[in-house]
Structures are given as C-alpha cells and as structure tokens.
Amino acid sequence: MEAFSSLIQQFQFHTEVYHNARLCGNWKLEQHRTDQTCFHLITGGHCYLSIPDYGDTVLEYGDLILFPKEPQHSLFNTELQTSQEGTQDTDLLCAKVDFGHSGVEALLKSLPHVLILKNQETNFWLKPILNLIIAENTLRHRGSDAILNRLSELIFIYSLRHYLNQNPTEVSLLALYADTRLSLAVDAIHTHPGTNWTIDKLAQISAMSRTRFAVYFKSRSGWTVMQYITWWRMQVALGLLKQGESVSTVSYQVGYQSESAFSRVFAKHFGCNPGKASRQFRSGTKSDI
C-alpha cells in the first residue's frame, strides 16, 4: 500500500454529519471554537463565512471549507448579499471528523488553519459526490444517514489529497507523501516498520547518497529520518494494541528487540506505557491516546 493510503487508514478516522439542512431567509450560525476537525460544504445557494482575523469570504454552491481545528466563526446570509428581491435559500452540510488516536496531530499541523476549496478547483472530484449528497437529501431512503457519513469520509480524503497536490513545495509531514524522490523510502518504512532501517538502506532505495537523502528528507518534512521512523512505528504500535495484540508481540513487530526500550519510547510519545494502554483498550476504558 502506498504511503498516503496507509497513513489515512492508520488513523482510523470516521466522519459524522451533524448539520444537513436548507436555511431560508436571513440567517446566521455562530460556531464557537471547538478544536474539532470538521468541514462545511455548500450544497445549494450561497452564504458568507466570517472568521476573526481572517475576514469574510463569499461561499458559492460546491465550495468546501475544512478546519483541521475548528476556530470561532460564523456562517450567514443577509439581504446585503443579494441584489435581487428576497433572499436565496442556502443548503449546508457540516460534518465532524474523529480519529482513532492522538498521533494524527502531526498530520493536522501540516494543514493551514482554514482550507477553502472553491468549486472550480475541486469540481472534477467533488461534483459526483455532491450529486449523490443532493440525491440522498431529496429521496431520504433507508440508510441515507450512513451513506452521507461515508460520502463525507470521501470528501475529507479527497480534500487532503487536493491540498497535497496543490502544495508540493510545502515543508511538512504531508510533503513526504507528495515527493516522488522519497516515496519509495517512505513506502518501505510503512510497509515494514519492524525492519532495522538505517539511513544508508533508505538512501539506497531512493537512489541517493546517505548525506543527500538525510538532508533532503529533513528539508521536505522538517523531520529527521529517524524521527519519522520512530513516529510511524508508534502509530502502528498503537493500532496493534487496539486490535488486542500483546505488548511483547507489538514490540517485536515494530522493530524493538527489547520490550523495555519499546515501552520507554511509547510512553514518551503517548504519555502512558503500552501495558496501561493495552489494559484500557481491552476493558473499553476511555483513553486519551
């Protein structure tokens, strides 16, 4: 599996539509800061988006707004926006995105505070999804809620990929998945997290010298090679613990010959040792990781 796909699957995210309605007349929705990952999609009409210190933006049909961490903002439609008599109704779908664990923070920090994708930029992939959403809203057959949630998952993944493709020179974690020179090495790390990876081995995979590879990796991601390897191993480890694997088994699968060494690194990343995390997962106790 290529690196971007494995990254998406590792974070075990799911979406839930929490607003999907037509807003009529002059209306205003005030959203408080929640730090929740969410997005708004204009499925009909138009409106304004206002964010403190960011300004006002006119949103048209098919425009998408993604918040990695939801700030205070408002959406509204007033008579000031219309040149014709009366006001135009606005159809608005809002969805929140929940993740399997806290390792996703590194991904979210790679994104801007607000990502506004205009319809003309995304029409080729968003239009088919938007048509399905409108059809579900019109027909409201059995299973519509579940279908809308799954369509929202697609919107989130497509939005990340769109940002990745449109910002190939951005220095961030996400840049690793857009860089063709590093993709083979990153794929190898993801596919075989338990391998005793060295910079020399990964440089050979990328057809670079050791020094060139290390410098280039840092220049693209802001991370050292070994920082990334450790980070990815901990994401895999957490996923395996949630699946019920034992600490000793997980330790070996992510490349640690010593369970105590694995436990120290895990605790540094997640704030608790893997044994405690494993017990919480087995008992169904709420965990912060």
Side-chain angles (χ1 to χ4, degrees):
M1 186 185 302
E2 51 87 19
F4 182 67
S5 292
S6 59
L7 176 81
I8 294 299
Q9 294 203 28
Q10 188 62 48
F11 289 127
Q12 304 167 18
F13 80 93
H14 68 276
T15 60
E16 180 183 345
V17 174
Y18 64 87
H19 178 91
N20 180 31
R22 173 165 294 176
L23 302 166
C24 305
N26 295 324
W27 56 269
K28 185 172 186 178
L29 298 178
E30 293 280 2
Q31 304 288 335
H32 298 291
R33 177 175 178 174
T34 66
D35 285 337
Q36 170 78 52
T37 302
C38 67
F39 66 81
H40 306 311
L41 174 63
I42 311 304
T43 57
H46 66 271
C47 66
Y48 271 1
L49 167 70
S50 181
I51 307 172
D53 301 323
Y54 188 89
D56 294 353
T57 303
V58 178
L59 301 175
E60 310 278 1
Y61 167 78
D63 289 351
L64 176 68
I65 313 95
L66 172 64
F67 292 120
K69 298 284 188 179
E70 185 177 33
Q72 177 185 345
H73 63 285
S74 59
L75 295 160
F76 56 92
N77 183 16
T78 72
E79 68 277 3
L80 297 177
Q81 296 170 247
T82 58
S83 57
Q84 303 173 351
E85 283 190 30
T87 57
Q88 182 180 4
D89 296 343
T90 304
D91 296 329
L92 179 66
L93 181 143
C94 306
K96 64 177 182 176
V97 186
D98 293 315
F99 300 93
H101 55 72
S102 60
V104 75
E105 291 299 319
L107 170 65
L108 298 179
K109 287 178 181 178
S110 297
L111 298 170
H113 295 305
V114 55
L115 183 58
I116 299 178
L117 304 180
K118 302 298 287 183
N119 183 40
Q120 58 266 32
E121 304 173 47
T122 63
N123 191 49
F124 76 98
W125 58 262
L126 185 56
K127 184 178 180 180
I129 303 175
L130 191 54
N131 288 341
L132 288 172
I133 290 172
I134 293 171
E136 287 300 323
N137 285 340
T138 302
L139 299 174
R140 298 306 297 178
H141 283 168
R142 294 181 183 88
S144 285
D145 290 343
I147 290 171
L148 288 171
N149 286 339
R150 295 299 180 269
L151 292 174
S152 296
E153 290 181 3
L154 287 177
I155 290 172
F156 180 68
I157 296 172
Y158 269 113
S159 297
L160 291 182
R161 190 171 74 174
H162 179 88
Y163 178 76
L164 196 64
N165 292 338
Q166 296 301 312
N167 297 273
T169 61
E170 190 83 18
V171 177
S172 70
L173 172 68
L174 274 176
L176 291 176
Y177 312 112
D179 195 298
T180 55
R181 299 192 65 185
L182 295 173
S183 60
L184 289 178
V186 177
D187 286 351
I189 294 168
H190 282 208
T191 305
H192 305 288
T195 296
N196 181 24
W197 291 116
T198 65
I199 295 176
D200 285 324
K201 289 180 181 178
L202 293 169
Q204 289 176 9
I205 292 173
S206 297
M208 297 186 198
S209 70
R210 182 186 190 281
T211 300
R212 174 59 179 156
F213 177 77
V215 171
Y216 188 64
F217 193 101
K218 180 72 179 291
S219 71
R220 296 297 290 118
S221 66
W223 295 28
T224 67
V225 178
M226 300 315 294
Q227 280 177 325
Y228 183 79
I229 292 172
T230 301
W231 176 80
W232 180 251
R233 284 173 168 171
M234 292 304 104
Q235 311 319 307
V236 173
L238 188 60
L240 292 172
L241 289 173
K242 285 191 171 186
Q243 292 172 23
E245 297 284 355
S246 69
V247 174
S248 59
T249 299
V250 172
S251 173
Y252 177 77
Q253 289 183 332
V254 297
Y256 290 85
Q257 301 304 313
S258 164
E259 189 176 321
S260 60
F262 166 66
S263 296
R264 285 194 297 271
V265 177
F266 187 95
K268 183 178 179 180
H269 270 75
F270 297 115
C272 74
N273 64 58
K276 179 180 178 181
S278 180
R279 290 190 295 273
Q280 288 179 334
F281 298 145
R282 287 200 304 270
S283 66
T285 304
K286 180 176 173 56
S287 173
D288 292 330
I289 61 176

